[in-house]
Amino acid sequence: VQPKGRMVLLSRAQPKLGIGAERFRQFDNPTQALEVLRKDIKPVRRQVIEAIAAVGGDAARAAIQEASKDKDVNIRIQAEEALRTMAE
């Protein structure tokens, strides 16, 4: 693992992913995902925050902290909840 490196999530599980998780998979890092998806619809943005939180790590935490400054109060709430979940 390197600072600002790539994240790769490998799993044998085959859960049905929401559109947010599917969109998140298109990006190399959480910050890039949030930046591009900032203009996306709210439900997708919330799902992307959940996917980033599930990945975890410093890059994910930094991206979610950035999302906690979003202009939309619902996105800020989702980001704060994700940060609390990551801290547990």
Side-chain angles (χ1 to χ4, degrees):
V1 177
Q2 299 175 3
K4 300 191 181 211
R6 254 184 200 198
M7 292 188 316
V8 177
L9 177 62
L10 303 175
S11 173
R12 291 185 183 189
Q14 294 182 340
K16 183 170 176 114
L17 300 175
I19 190 166
E22 289 290 341
R23 297 287 298 277
F24 173 66
R25 291 176 55 191
Q26 299 172 4
F27 301 98
D28 290 335
N29 66 61
T31 304
Q32 181 186 26
L34 277 177
E35 188 60 38
V36 171
L37 296 174
R38 198 174 295 280
K39 299 175 186 116
D40 217 326
I41 60 174
K42 286 183 226 179
V44 173
R45 292 167 61 204
R46 288 193 299 262
Q47 290 178 13
V48 168
I49 290 170
E50 290 175 10
I52 292 170
V55 170
D58 293 339
R61 185 176 315 285
I64 295 173
Q65 285 172 336
E66 189 62 32
S68 71
K69 301 172 191 171
D70 196 276
K71 64 182 177 179
D72 185 289
V73 66
N74 294 314
I75 300 301
R76 292 193 308 264
I77 290 169
Q78 179 75 30
E80 291 298 330
E81 288 174 2
L83 288 169
R84 279 193 295 276
T85 300
M86 291 176 74
E88 294 175 354

